[in-house]
Amino acid sequence: MHPWLIGVPGTIAAAAGVIAYGGVYPRAQLFGSTICRTNSARKLAITFDDGPNPDITPKLLDLLAKYNAPATFFLIGRYLRECPELAREIAARGHVIGNHTESHPNLLWKRSTEIRVELRLTHSAIKSVLGAPPKWFRPPFGFRNPWLAGEARELNMRVVMWTLLPGDWRAPSGEWLIGRMQPIADRAKRALQRASSAGTGVKTSTGEIICLHDGSHHEQNADRTATLAALEYWLPRWRDLGLEFVTIENAVSAPAS
Ligand SMILES: [Zn+2]
């Protein structure tokens, strides 16, 4: 091998590593800036992907109403077309609706034209059902590539990621999922304690975004009873810790408190 070629495999491996990091790691900013946290340790943004789901979303809306918890729903376009009334009800109950593509593909290896179609179909569906276009986008599986940021920006949407992905789609039980969601309470306790002992208030720190699922991209009417059970457990406890439930809109645009 020619001496200068010796480093080539390493360079290719390093480049592949950078692409993997930028495209897959939830808080990576390499392929465009994303929203990964709320603007205050006191604010918790609860988000749901892969709905609307006629079997689960109505029960979830009742549960969120019981604890006065506004949330953000990233809808799959083809499901939205099947149940526009349910999407209207989500919005009417004070929640924010975002775009989660038309058919939930892995965008990591998609070209910009394919990404554009996926984003625009759902963008126009939300606009026609709700009367206003979405301002927020969550990529399926959280996977991004260098073209996604530009396509989202053209539609005036900001890309939203998360700080915690408990894996509710594979939850064997509500108890299992309750344990997986424990970090929200642990981190909130630490952040709020730190802020009060430093006497700085919580304005200097940031808060969590949790990514849950009220549906499944594999099939409509997926069972998400573990997600409901875990939220029934955590919502009052999060509230008693002093956490405020916010939509993504209020997580970033309203003044931190
Ligand atoms: Zn999804």
Side-chain angles (χ1 to χ4, degrees):
M1 187 182 280
H2 200 277
W4 65 264
L5 282 176
I6 289 170
V8 169
T11 308
I12 292 169
V18 167
I19 290 167
Y21 166 80
V24 176
Y25 181 67
R27 273 160 270 170
Q29 303 293 302
L30 187 65
F31 297 153
S33 77
T34 61
I35 297 166
C36 304
R37 308 190 64 85
T38 72
N39 62 9
S40 162
R42 208 177 284 291
K43 292 186 185 178
L44 170 61
I46 307 171
T47 67
F48 299 97
D49 291 0
D50 295 2
N53 176 352
D55 266 7
I56 295 293
T57 311
K59 294 174 192 145
L60 177 58
L61 292 176
D62 288 345
L63 182 59
L64 294 171
K66 186 171 155 189
Y67 295 103
N68 199 16
T72 306
F73 289 76
F74 293 94
L75 306 185
I76 294 177
R78 62 189 163 93
Y79 292 164
L80 165 65
R81 290 164 208 281
E82 287 170 20
C83 30
E85 277 307 319
L86 185 48
R88 274 192 278 269
E89 194 185 341
I90 296 171
R93 292 219 192 178
H95 306 291
V96 163
I97 285 183
N99 182 331
H100 195 44
T101 72
E102 180 67 14
S103 65
H104 207 280
N106 174 356
L107 298 180
L108 194 56
W109 306 113
K110 294 277 185 216
R111 290 172 306 181
S112 58
T113 45
E114 295 169 290
I115 294 174
R116 189 172 306 159
V117 169
E118 281 288 337
L119 267 57
R120 286 181 185 240
L121 281 172
T122 300
H123 189 269
S124 61
I126 291 174
K127 194 175 169 188
S128 73
V129 168
L130 298 177
K135 293 193 271 182
W136 318 97
F137 174 77
R138 174 166 284 153
F141 315 104
F143 293 167
R144 291 156 287 139
N145 71 14
W147 296 276
L148 174 64
E151 295 299 333
R153 205 180 309 118
E154 272 199 21
L155 294 170
N156 293 316
M157 294 191 297
R158 293 183 67 188
V159 177
V160 181
M161 303 299 287
W162 57 77
T163 57
L164 188 73
L165 182 71
D168 59 338
W169 65 89
R170 58 190 170 93
S173 67
E175 290 73 44
W176 180 90
L177 187 55
I178 286 167
R180 299 273 300 182
M181 288 159 68
Q182 180 72 42
I184 296 284
D186 294 345
R187 293 172 195 169
K189 266 185 223 160
R190 280 199 299 271
L192 296 172
Q193 258 165 20
R194 224 175 13 241
S196 72
S197 61
T200 54
V202 290
K203 285 187 180 174
T204 49
S205 50
T206 56
E208 307 285 323
I209 299 176
I210 186 169
C211 175
L212 294 166
H213 296 75
D214 59 332
S216 163
H217 65 277
H218 292 299
E219 56 182 352
Q220 191 49 293
N221 297 315
D223 179 6
R224 291 285 178 258
T225 45
T227 305
L228 294 175
L231 279 172
E232 180 74 70
Y233 175 89
W234 277 117
L235 282 168
R237 286 166 176 81
W238 287 337
R239 180 197 56 197
D240 294 347
L241 271 175
L243 287 172
E244 178 196 349
F245 306 121
V246 292
T247 62
I248 285 299
E249 181 116 26
N250 286 331
V252 295
S253 56
S257 59

